[in-house]
mmCIF file of all heavy atoms in Angstrom:
data_model
loop_
_atom_site.group_PDB
_atom_site.id
_atom_site.type_symbol
_atom_site.label_atom_id
_atom_site.label_comp_id
_atom_site.label_asym_id
_atom_site.label_seq_id
_atom_site.Cartn_x
_atom_site.Cartn_y
_atom_site.Cartn_z
ATOM 1 N N ASP A 84 5.728 86.921 -27.764
ATOM 2 C CA ASP A 84 4.662 87.212 -26.804
ATOM 3 C C ASP A 84 5.188 86.950 -25.395
ATOM 4 O O ASP A 84 5.721 85.872 -25.121
ATOM 5 C CB ASP A 84 3.451 86.317 -27.102
ATOM 6 C CG ASP A 84 2.446 86.358 -25.960
ATOM 7 O OD1 ASP A 84 2.013 87.477 -25.597
ATOM 8 O OD2 ASP A 84 2.114 85.283 -25.409
ATOM 9 N N ASP A 86 3.753 86.151 -22.627
ATOM 10 C CA ASP A 86 3.189 84.983 -21.923
ATOM 11 C C ASP A 86 3.797 83.674 -22.439
ATOM 12 O O ASP A 86 4.092 82.765 -21.662
ATOM 13 C CB ASP A 86 1.666 84.938 -22.087
ATOM 14 C CG ASP A 86 0.992 86.018 -21.265
ATOM 15 O OD1 ASP A 86 1.539 86.375 -20.207
ATOM 16 O OD2 ASP A 86 -0.069 86.518 -21.691
ATOM 17 N N ILE A 87 3.956 83.571 -23.769
ATOM 18 C CA ILE A 87 4.567 82.346 -24.325
ATOM 19 C C ILE A 87 6.025 82.267 -23.880
ATOM 20 O O ILE A 87 6.497 81.215 -23.434
ATOM 21 C CB ILE A 87 4.424 82.313 -25.868
ATOM 22 C CG1 ILE A 87 2.938 82.155 -26.236
ATOM 23 C CG2 ILE A 87 5.266 81.181 -26.469
ATOM 24 C CD1 ILE A 87 2.639 82.177 -27.725
ATOM 25 N N TRP A 90 6.012 81.202 -20.063
ATOM 26 C CA TRP A 90 5.624 79.843 -19.675
ATOM 27 C C TRP A 90 6.394 78.765 -20.415
ATOM 28 O O TRP A 90 6.375 77.592 -20.009
ATOM 29 C CB TRP A 90 4.114 79.646 -19.845
ATOM 30 C CG TRP A 90 3.338 80.523 -18.913
ATOM 31 C CD1 TRP A 90 2.436 81.482 -19.232
ATOM 32 C CD2 TRP A 90 3.446 80.536 -17.481
ATOM 33 N NE1 TRP A 90 1.961 82.103 -18.100
ATOM 34 C CE2 TRP A 90 2.566 81.538 -17.013
ATOM 35 C CE3 TRP A 90 4.193 79.821 -16.551
ATOM 36 C CZ2 TRP A 90 2.418 81.819 -15.649
ATOM 37 C CZ3 TRP A 90 4.047 80.102 -15.197
ATOM 38 C CH2 TRP A 90 3.164 81.083 -14.766
ATOM 39 N N HIS A 91 7.062 79.125 -21.505
ATOM 40 C CA HIS A 91 7.860 78.116 -22.207
ATOM 41 C C HIS A 91 9.362 78.374 -22.033
ATOM 42 O O HIS A 91 10.184 77.599 -22.511
ATOM 43 C CB HIS A 91 7.456 78.047 -23.687
ATOM 44 C CG HIS A 91 6.036 77.603 -23.835
ATOM 45 N ND1 HIS A 91 5.683 76.284 -23.957
ATOM 46 C CD2 HIS A 91 4.867 78.297 -23.792
ATOM 47 C CE1 HIS A 91 4.354 76.191 -24.007
ATOM 48 N NE2 HIS A 91 3.842 77.405 -23.911
ATOM 49 N N TYR A 150 1.130 73.058 -25.358
ATOM 50 C CA TYR A 150 0.391 73.958 -26.256
ATOM 51 C C TYR A 150 0.669 75.417 -25.936
ATOM 52 O O TYR A 150 1.085 75.769 -24.842
ATOM 53 C CB TYR A 150 -1.134 73.709 -26.166
ATOM 54 C CG TYR A 150 -1.654 73.576 -24.760
ATOM 55 C CD1 TYR A 150 -1.777 74.672 -23.923
ATOM 56 C CD2 TYR A 150 -2.007 72.328 -24.254
ATOM 57 C CE1 TYR A 150 -2.242 74.536 -22.628
ATOM 58 C CE2 TYR A 150 -2.473 72.179 -22.961
ATOM 59 C CZ TYR A 150 -2.579 73.290 -22.153
ATOM 60 O OH TYR A 150 -3.016 73.151 -20.853
ATOM 61 N N TRP A 151 0.468 76.246 -26.942
ATOM 62 C CA TRP A 151 0.350 77.695 -26.770
ATOM 63 C C TRP A 151 -0.560 78.233 -27.863
ATOM 64 O O TRP A 151 -0.747 77.578 -28.907
ATOM 65 C CB TRP A 151 1.694 78.425 -26.764
ATOM 66 C CG TRP A 151 2.731 78.132 -27.814
ATOM 67 C CD1 TRP A 151 3.888 77.420 -27.646
ATOM 68 C CD2 TRP A 151 2.740 78.567 -29.205
ATOM 69 N NE1 TRP A 151 4.605 77.378 -28.827
ATOM 70 C CE2 TRP A 151 3.930 78.066 -29.799
ATOM 71 C CE3 TRP A 151 1.870 79.306 -29.993
ATOM 72 C CZ2 TRP A 151 4.274 78.288 -31.145
ATOM 73 C CZ3 TRP A 151 2.202 79.531 -31.331
ATOM 74 C CH2 TRP A 151 3.385 79.030 -31.888
ATOM 75 N N THR A 152 -1.152 79.399 -27.608
ATOM 76 C CA THR A 152 -1.899 80.100 -28.659
ATOM 77 C C THR A 152 -1.359 81.525 -28.745
ATOM 78 O O THR A 152 -0.885 82.084 -27.750
ATOM 79 C CB THR A 152 -3.420 80.148 -28.376
ATOM 80 O OG1 THR A 152 -3.642 80.790 -27.116
ATOM 81 C CG2 THR A 152 -4.016 78.752 -28.361
ATOM 82 N N ALA A 156 -5.448 84.992 -31.061
ATOM 83 C CA ALA A 156 -6.370 83.846 -31.171
ATOM 84 C C ALA A 156 -7.005 83.486 -29.831
ATOM 85 O O ALA A 156 -7.849 82.596 -29.776
ATOM 86 C CB ALA A 156 -5.619 82.627 -31.722
ATOM 87 N N ARG A 157 -6.600 84.164 -28.760
ATOM 88 C CA ARG A 157 -7.090 83.772 -27.420
ATOM 89 C C ARG A 157 -8.531 84.222 -27.196
ATOM 90 O O ARG A 157 -9.039 85.069 -27.908
ATOM 91 C CB ARG A 157 -6.157 84.338 -26.337
ATOM 92 C CG ARG A 157 -4.817 83.641 -26.378
ATOM 93 C CD ARG A 157 -3.846 84.131 -25.302
ATOM 94 N NE ARG A 157 -2.502 83.625 -25.647
ATOM 95 C CZ ARG A 157 -1.358 84.224 -25.352
ATOM 96 N NH1 ARG A 157 -1.374 85.344 -24.658
ATOM 97 N NH2 ARG A 157 -0.220 83.690 -25.729
ATOM 98 N N GLY A 158 -9.145 83.625 -26.196
ATOM 99 C CA GLY A 158 -10.518 83.987 -25.836
ATOM 100 C C GLY A 158 -11.553 83.179 -26.602
ATOM 101 O O GLY A 158 -12.751 83.434 -26.478
ATOM 102 N N ARG A 159 -11.117 82.181 -27.385
ATOM 103 C CA ARG A 159 -12.053 81.365 -28.182
ATOM 104 C C ARG A 159 -11.844 79.875 -27.924
ATOM 105 O O ARG A 159 -12.179 79.061 -28.746
ATOM 106 C CB ARG A 159 -11.858 81.669 -29.679
ATOM 107 C CG ARG A 159 -12.244 83.082 -30.068
ATOM 108 C CD ARG A 159 -12.190 83.263 -31.581
ATOM 109 N NE ARG A 159 -10.860 83.508 -32.069
ATOM 110 C CZ ARG A 159 -10.350 82.972 -33.179
ATOM 111 N NH1 ARG A 159 -11.053 82.113 -33.895
ATOM 112 N NH2 ARG A 159 -9.128 83.271 -33.571
ATOM 113 N N ARG A 160 -11.217 79.540 -26.828
ATOM 114 C CA ARG A 160 -10.981 78.137 -26.449
ATOM 115 C C ARG A 160 -10.252 77.364 -27.554
ATOM 116 O O ARG A 160 -10.494 76.178 -27.763
ATOM 117 C CB ARG A 160 -12.303 77.440 -26.076
ATOM 118 C CG ARG A 160 -13.003 78.047 -24.857
ATOM 119 C CD ARG A 160 -14.208 77.220 -24.405
ATOM 120 N NE ARG A 160 -13.825 75.865 -24.084
ATOM 121 C CZ ARG A 160 -14.167 74.791 -24.809
ATOM 122 N NH1 ARG A 160 -14.888 74.931 -25.909
ATOM 123 N NH2 ARG A 160 -13.783 73.603 -24.451
ATOM 124 N N VAL A 161 -9.355 78.046 -28.239
ATOM 125 C CA VAL A 161 -8.617 77.391 -29.331
ATOM 126 C C VAL A 161 -7.787 76.220 -28.804
ATOM 127 O O VAL A 161 -7.762 75.136 -29.400
ATOM 128 C CB VAL A 161 -7.733 78.426 -30.069
ATOM 129 C CG1 VAL A 161 -6.685 77.744 -30.938
ATOM 130 C CG2 VAL A 161 -8.611 79.345 -30.919
ATOM 131 N N ALA A 162 -7.128 76.413 -27.643
ATOM 132 C CA ALA A 162 -6.241 75.349 -27.145
ATOM 133 C C ALA A 162 -7.027 74.098 -26.761
ATOM 134 O O ALA A 162 -6.637 72.981 -27.114
ATOM 135 C CB ALA A 162 -5.422 75.855 -25.957
ATOM 136 N N SER A 163 -8.137 74.259 -26.055
ATOM 137 C CA SER A 163 -8.852 73.039 -25.635
ATOM 138 C C SER A 163 -9.560 72.377 -26.812
ATOM 139 O O SER A 163 -9.657 71.143 -26.864
ATOM 140 C CB SER A 163 -9.816 73.318 -24.471
ATOM 141 O OG SER A 163 -10.725 74.303 -24.799
ATOM 142 N N LEU A 185 1.223 69.050 -17.811
ATOM 143 C CA LEU A 185 1.783 69.745 -16.647
ATOM 144 C C LEU A 185 1.767 71.236 -16.902
ATOM 145 O O LEU A 185 2.145 71.684 -17.985
ATOM 146 C CB LEU A 185 3.233 69.316 -16.428
ATOM 147 C CG LEU A 185 3.473 67.996 -15.703
ATOM 148 C CD1 LEU A 185 4.900 67.524 -15.957
ATOM 149 C CD2 LEU A 185 3.242 68.136 -14.210
ATOM 150 N N HIS A 186 1.311 72.013 -15.923
ATOM 151 C CA HIS A 186 1.418 73.466 -16.032
ATOM 152 C C HIS A 186 1.823 74.031 -14.685
ATOM 153 O O HIS A 186 1.549 73.428 -13.635
ATOM 154 C CB HIS A 186 0.083 74.093 -16.500
ATOM 155 C CG HIS A 186 -1.029 73.905 -15.518
ATOM 156 N ND1 HIS A 186 -1.167 74.717 -14.418
ATOM 157 C CD2 HIS A 186 -2.028 72.994 -15.449
ATOM 158 C CE1 HIS A 186 -2.226 74.318 -13.721
ATOM 159 N NE2 HIS A 186 -2.756 73.267 -14.313
ATOM 160 N N ASN A 190 -0.181 79.231 -13.552
ATOM 161 C CA ASN A 190 -0.738 79.421 -14.902
ATOM 162 C C ASN A 190 -2.202 78.955 -14.938
ATOM 163 O O ASN A 190 -2.521 77.848 -15.364
ATOM 164 C CB ASN A 190 0.109 78.651 -15.924
ATOM 165 C CG ASN A 190 -0.240 78.999 -17.355
ATOM 166 O OD1 ASN A 190 -1.292 79.596 -17.626
ATOM 167 N ND2 ASN A 190 0.617 78.615 -18.285
ATOM 168 N N GLU A 191 -3.083 79.861 -14.506
ATOM 169 C CA GLU A 191 -4.508 79.508 -14.377
ATOM 170 C C GLU A 191 -5.151 79.209 -15.726
ATOM 171 O O GLU A 191 -5.988 78.312 -15.854
ATOM 172 C CB GLU A 191 -5.240 80.664 -13.667
ATOM 173 C CG GLU A 191 -6.713 80.431 -13.412
ATOM 174 C CD GLU A 191 -7.015 79.208 -12.529
ATOM 175 O OE1 GLU A 191 -6.176 78.825 -11.705
ATOM 176 O OE2 GLU A 191 -8.101 78.634 -12.711
ATOM 177 N N ALA A 192 -4.758 79.966 -16.782
ATOM 178 C CA ALA A 192 -5.378 79.742 -18.099
ATOM 179 C C ALA A 192 -5.093 78.328 -18.587
ATOM 180 O O ALA A 192 -5.971 77.650 -19.139
ATOM 181 C CB ALA A 192 -4.851 80.778 -19.103
ATOM 182 N N SER A 193 -3.871 77.844 -18.363
ATOM 183 C CA SER A 193 -3.533 76.495 -18.810
ATOM 184 C C SER A 193 -4.323 75.450 -18.019
ATOM 185 O O SER A 193 -4.737 74.419 -18.565
ATOM 186 C CB SER A 193 -2.024 76.263 -18.664
ATOM 187 O OG SER A 193 -1.670 75.047 -19.270
ATOM 188 N N ARG A 195 -7.303 75.878 -16.927
ATOM 189 C CA ARG A 195 -8.668 75.890 -17.499
ATOM 190 C C ARG A 195 -8.724 75.032 -18.770
ATOM 191 O O ARG A 195 -9.707 74.337 -19.021
ATOM 192 C CB ARG A 195 -9.108 77.322 -17.842
ATOM 193 C CG ARG A 195 -9.198 78.304 -16.695
ATOM 194 C CD ARG A 195 -10.179 77.908 -15.639
ATOM 195 N NE ARG A 195 -11.467 77.548 -16.210
ATOM 196 C CZ ARG A 195 -12.370 76.767 -15.606
ATOM 197 N NH1 ARG A 195 -12.105 76.257 -14.422
ATOM 198 N NH2 ARG A 195 -13.515 76.506 -16.191
ATOM 199 N N VAL A 196 -7.674 75.091 -19.573
ATOM 200 C CA VAL A 196 -7.611 74.281 -20.805
ATOM 201 C C VAL A 196 -7.641 72.794 -20.436
ATOM 202 O O VAL A 196 -8.392 71.998 -21.016
ATOM 203 C CB VAL A 196 -6.333 74.608 -21.614
ATOM 204 C CG1 VAL A 196 -6.152 73.634 -22.769
ATOM 205 C CG2 VAL A 196 -6.379 76.049 -22.132
HETATM 206 C C1 COA B 1024 -2.961 78.804 -21.961
HETATM 207 C C2 COA B 1024 -3.395 79.160 -23.394
HETATM 208 C C3 COA B 1024 -2.826 78.099 -24.344
HETATM 209 C C4 COA B 1024 -4.922 79.117 -23.476
HETATM 210 O O1 COA B 1024 -5.246 79.515 -24.782
HETATM 211 P P1 COA B 1024 -6.757 79.641 -25.367
HETATM 212 O O2 COA B 1024 -7.309 78.341 -25.772
HETATM 213 O O3 COA B 1024 -6.662 80.647 -26.440
HETATM 214 O O4 COA B 1024 -7.553 80.028 -24.103
HETATM 215 P P2 COA B 1024 -8.710 81.085 -23.830
HETATM 216 O O5 COA B 1024 -8.209 82.500 -23.973
HETATM 217 O O6 COA B 1024 -9.895 80.721 -24.628
HETATM 218 O O7 COA B 1024 -8.932 80.796 -22.268
HETATM 219 C C5 COA B 1024 -9.126 79.482 -21.785
HETATM 220 C C6 COA B 1024 -9.681 79.580 -20.379
HETATM 221 O O8 COA B 1024 -8.709 80.204 -19.525
HETATM 222 C C7 COA B 1024 -9.264 81.385 -18.930
HETATM 223 N N1 COA B 1024 -8.186 82.355 -18.881
HETATM 224 C C8 COA B 1024 -7.589 82.969 -19.931
HETATM 225 N N2 COA B 1024 -6.606 83.777 -19.468
HETATM 226 C C9 COA B 1024 -6.614 83.672 -18.124
HETATM 227 C C10 COA B 1024 -5.844 84.253 -17.076
HETATM 228 N N3 COA B 1024 -4.851 85.112 -17.338
HETATM 229 N N4 COA B 1024 -6.115 83.890 -15.791
HETATM 230 C C11 COA B 1024 -7.099 83.015 -15.522
HETATM 231 N N5 COA B 1024 -7.872 82.420 -16.476
HETATM 232 C C12 COA B 1024 -7.619 82.760 -17.750
HETATM 233 C C13 COA B 1024 -10.391 81.793 -19.859
HETATM 234 O O9 COA B 1024 -11.357 82.564 -19.173
HETATM 235 C C14 COA B 1024 -10.927 80.432 -20.274
HETATM 236 O O10 COA B 1024 -11.675 79.890 -19.193
HETATM 237 P P3 COA B 1024 -13.026 79.054 -19.448
HETATM 238 O O11 COA B 1024 -12.662 77.891 -20.347
HETATM 239 O O12 COA B 1024 -13.442 78.649 -18.105
HETATM 240 O O13 COA B 1024 -13.946 80.000 -20.161
HETATM 241 C C15 COA B 1024 -2.888 80.573 -23.807
HETATM 242 O O14 COA B 1024 -3.364 81.499 -22.873
HETATM 243 C C16 COA B 1024 -1.382 80.672 -23.925
HETATM 244 O O15 COA B 1024 -0.811 80.306 -24.953
HETATM 245 N N6 COA B 1024 -0.716 81.180 -22.877
HETATM 246 C C17 COA B 1024 0.735 81.372 -22.911
HETATM 247 C C18 COA B 1024 1.508 80.058 -23.050
HETATM 248 C C19 COA B 1024 1.022 78.997 -22.084
HETATM 249 O O16 COA B 1024 0.613 79.265 -20.968
HETATM 250 N N7 COA B 1024 1.131 77.717 -22.526
HETATM 251 C C20 COA B 1024 0.779 76.583 -21.689
HETATM 252 C C21 COA B 1024 1.939 76.188 -20.853
HETATM 253 S S1 COA B 1024 1.497 74.794 -19.780
#
Side-chain angles (χ1 to χ4, degrees):
D84 167 55
D86 287 329
I87 293 177
W90 295 120
H91 297 270
Y150 45 74
W151 47 254
T152 58
R157 291 181 193 150
R159 294 187 279 139
R160 297 188 58 250
V161 164
S163 57
L185 279 162
H186 64 81
N190 191 345
E191 182 60 27
S193 189
R195 298 299 311 157
V196 171

